[in-house]
Amino acid sequence: MALNPARFLQDLHRLRSFGASGVGKGVVRPAFTAVDIASRQWLASRMQEAGLEVHFDPVGNLFGLNGPKSLLIGSHSDSQPEGGWLDGALGVIAGLEIARASKEDGGPAISVVNFQDEEGRFGILTGSDVWTGQISLAEADALTDTDGLTLGAARARMSGRAREFLPHDMFSGFIEMHIEQGPGMDVSGDQIGVVSDIVGIRETRIRICGRQNHAGTTPMALRQDAFQALSDFNQRINARFGAVATKATVWTLGHAELSPNASSVVPGQARFTLQWRDGDLARLAAMESIVEDVAKDIAQERGVEVEVGPVGGIDPAAMDDRLKAALQQAAHDLAPSKWRDLPSGALHDAANVARVMPTAMLFVPSIGGISHAFDEDTKEEDLIKGLEVLNRAALSL
Amino acid sequence: MALNPARFLQDLHRLRSFGASGVGKGVVRPAFTAVDIASRQWLASRMQEAGLEVHFDPVGNLFGLNGPKSLLIGSHSDSQPEGGWLDGALGVIAGLEIARASKEDGGPAISVVNFQDEEGRFGILTGSDVWTGQISLAEADALTDTDGLTLGAARARMSGRAREFLPHDMFSGFIEMHIEQGPGMDVSGDQIGVVSDIVGIRETRIRICGRQNHAGTTPMALRQDAFQALSDFNQRINARFGAVATKATVWTLGHAELSPNASSVVPGQARFTLQWRDGDLARLAAMESIVEDVAKDIAQERGVEVEVGPVGGIDPAAMDDRLKAALQQAAHDLAPSKWRDLPSGALHDAANVARVMPTAMLFVPSIGGISHAFDEDTKEEDLIKGLEVLNRAALSL
């Protein structure tokens, strides 16, 4: 029996009944909640029906295995506290349908994976972080959610089903399908995006110390105003980042606090966070240098102190050329002139898996660019197109 | 018993124990906080001990009355979120000491006042605004602090003590003593400043609504970033205010809040307060037009909503010639060649009271020009000189 889009859509809609929000197609299915565990058990039963070997690892990642060497396809089915029905669920059900169809047809060996806690209830991409060795299970067990529940306590809820961690070398590669979660393809009208790389992130907290003073009696020329320094810093960052940025580069000043934050007081202090994302390590580093330069200039010209905190983040992950080429060819065949290469501005499990095996990703559009919200959606014809492109690429490998 | 400088200093230091910051002599005593209410109750007891009749009005202004017709002396004891120990407290305790000494000596009838919320937690000079009829009590009750608390709810905390509003004609005039809060006299070496006039002030709260979005997947060109709109607004205000300003004109963006204020989210909303001050009514109005123009431009060019709230404030106020002459004569007698006339760049309750009775002000120096900060201070000899000049002027009237 060949690829069955109707069965794929049916399973995808069935999955959203676990933790249905009652608002549109939205879901509330954070990692290790009762509905998350129930949905993983249902998925395991669907894998078993397809002739795949069900395997839960200690951190709750669910695999549907097909033999000692296979291509791995999947994503994650946990959601944000207010999540959309597609997000990672799409990639899991696509993997299930392709593995199932290939098994039925005697095609190539394809396995499925459903990572746990990609949405970072406890960590960052917790399930794939542990499986790929970014952090140890012991470190992960100590992570807590915002209510103080530890991952150790949460994963005990699934301990009856857990077996060992699987070796990476039983998979020839990994392909993840996901919604874009941004407006790019919805605006351009493309149906398929082949991910070139998953961007890296850099983030730092900055503190500007000026001189707190009376807003009526301090002449403009004598002020060391921390907000004015912040505003100036921001304008210069925009100009200088703009000069090195590509169209895909983004930066955000999303958090800022003034002190004492009173209308009649010249602000003495401003604390804020600057984040920037790009697929190129060298560009991320160049932007870091710009931050340091601008901080020095602002301090010198405005007579304030500017402290740039440690710069943390995650390195970009390039996608594998061979897998990417297979996706490009399939997109070219099945969605001619309606596909493009693009970087992923959001983080995905594929960024972790790329460090241990050849990895690629494809995107389908998000209507209105909306994600991590109950009204997240994608046209069914685009979901099916994504499934078909992924299937053709998988069969060609 | 004559004027007692030691008792005056003792009371002044006792007052700073209410809401002591633990940093230098600083205080944290905003209007209607528990420590503000406690300090007003303590002041009331000191007034009572001095033989004055204690009277709280509905908006929390505290009077220590001496008969049906008296000269009123005072200021305010509430502070900024991070305040100095002198600010208005100096004028309140000076009034207390002069009224007390005059009562003891059988001198002229002198009453004391401690206005509420001069620092504008809720409004501008809220207590004297309401008493002098700049706004009604009902209007004031609807004012909110930056956390959304209404003045109506805040003043209910003192409602058990409140009596009626006092008629203005029971006072022959008002004199307010205050620290300069700027560097002028500290630089010139003067001990006493006799205020010629008080600048006017305008203030408005502004809200920018953009679109909250994912900081990784939303391209720079498609963002409606409320913080970027705020930063742009600020730069344009600086340029356009700068073009109409004199050397004495000042403006401040001292309060700003982003929402959701998270490093990985493009800010959807920014709320902030803009304040400007000048001695000329026409210039204040021209600056208000600039604010409206810039708000419109930002909204149009950036695709965000910009809501400019009501513009509140107080008009410039001239001081009374007769009271001013009494202060000049006393300064001439007690601080020869160490006093001068000067305008007030800061707003004071005296600006309101000047609209309902003859009013004057005197200043003592601020070390380093520092105010509205924990390290605000004045030499004790200057504090006592101010007390003596004010006392001599009061006795001469």
Side-chain angles (χ1 to χ4, degrees), chain A residues 144-284:
Chain A
T144 55
D145 73 359
T146 53
D147 292 332
L149 177 71
T150 64
L151 175 66
R155 76 184 179 87
R157 296 171 184 166
M158 291 184 69
S159 60
R161 312 205 57 163
R163 291 159 63 194
E164 76 283 6
F165 283 110
L166 291 171
H168 306 135
D169 63 5
M170 67 183 287
F171 305 109
S172 58
F174 172 62
I175 306 182
E176 180 170 5
M177 172 167 155
H178 207 282
I179 55 168
E180 184 188 6
Q181 301 186 284
M185 295 161 65
D186 191 43
V187 168
S188 69
D190 287 308
Q191 282 193 296
I192 299 291
V194 177
V195 173
S196 50
D197 43 65
I198 299 175
V199 300
I201 300 181
R202 294 290 180 270
E203 184 172 304
T204 185
R205 295 200 183 163
I206 299 175
R207 191 162 75 114
I208 296 177
C209 290
R211 172 77 230 182
Q212 178 176 327
N213 229 319
H214 190 291
T217 58
T218 314
M220 298 308 282
L222 296 183
R223 295 183 176 200
Q224 294 154 274
D225 182 323
F227 173 74
Q228 293 302 329
L230 160 58
S231 181
D232 191 1
F233 181 95
N234 176 63
Q235 301 297 327
R236 295 188 197 203
I237 286 290
N238 285 345
R240 296 204 43 195
F241 276 12
V244 300
T246 68
K247 273 191 179 175
T249 313
V250 293
W251 61 95
T252 307
L253 200 159
H255 156 255
E257 285 171 50
L258 306 184
S259 173
N261 209 28
S263 62
S264 281
V265 186
V266 177
Q269 193 173 286
R271 291 183 303 136
F272 60 100
T273 309
L274 184 68
Q275 184 191 86
W276 58 102
R277 303 185 187 216
D278 194 86
D280 179 48
L281 258 182
R283 186 172 294 106
L284 289 171

Side-chain angles (χ1 to χ4, degrees), chain A residues 180-184 187 199 203 211-220 222-223 225 227-228 230-232 234-235 238 247-267 273-275 277 302 344-347 368-369 372, chain B residues 80-82 119-120 146 180-183 201 203 213-220 222-223 225 227-228 230-232 234-235 238 247 249-258 260-267 273 275 277 345-347 369-373 375:
Chain A
E180 184 188 6
Q181 301 186 284
V187 168
V199 300
E203 184 172 304
R211 172 77 230 182
Q212 178 176 327
N213 229 319
H214 190 291
T217 58
T218 314
M220 298 308 282
L222 296 183
R223 295 183 176 200
D225 182 323
F227 173 74
Q228 293 302 329
L230 160 58
S231 181
D232 191 1
N234 176 63
Q235 301 297 327
N238 285 345
K247 273 191 179 175
T249 313
V250 293
W251 61 95
T252 307
L253 200 159
H255 156 255
E257 285 171 50
L258 306 184
S259 173
N261 209 28
S263 62
S264 281
V265 186
V266 177
T273 309
L274 184 68
Q275 184 191 86
R277 303 185 187 216
R302 292 189 161 263
S344 170
L347 265 183
H372 288 181
Chain B
Q80 285 286 325
E82 295 188 7
E119 299 293 359
T146 53
E180 184 189 7
Q181 302 186 282
I201 185 169
E203 182 173 307
N213 230 320
H214 190 294
T217 57
T218 315
M220 300 308 283
L222 296 182
R223 294 182 177 199
D225 183 323
F227 173 74
Q228 293 302 328
L230 160 58
S231 181
D232 189 1
N234 176 62
Q235 301 299 126
N238 285 345
K247 272 192 180 176
T249 312
V250 292
W251 61 95
T252 306
L253 199 159
H255 155 254
E257 284 170 51
L258 307 184
N261 209 27
S263 61
S264 281
V265 185
V266 177
T273 309
Q275 183 189 89
R277 302 183 189 220
L347 197 55
I370 295 164
S371 181
H372 287 181
D375 51 345

Side-chain angles (χ1 to χ4, degrees), chain B residues 144-162:
Chain B
T144 55
D145 73 359
T146 53
D147 291 332
L149 177 71
T150 63
L151 175 67
R155 75 182 180 88
R157 297 170 184 167
M158 291 184 68
S159 60
R161 311 207 55 163

Side-chain angles (χ1 to χ4, degrees), chain B residues 80-92:
Chain B
Q80 285 286 325
E82 295 188 7
W85 73 298
L86 297 169
D87 204 308
L90 171 64
V92 174

Side-chain angles (χ1 to χ4, degrees), chain A residues 324-336:
Chain A
K324 198 164 58 179
L327 288 170
Q328 288 164 330
Q329 185 62 51
H332 175 78
D333 294 346
L334 298 176

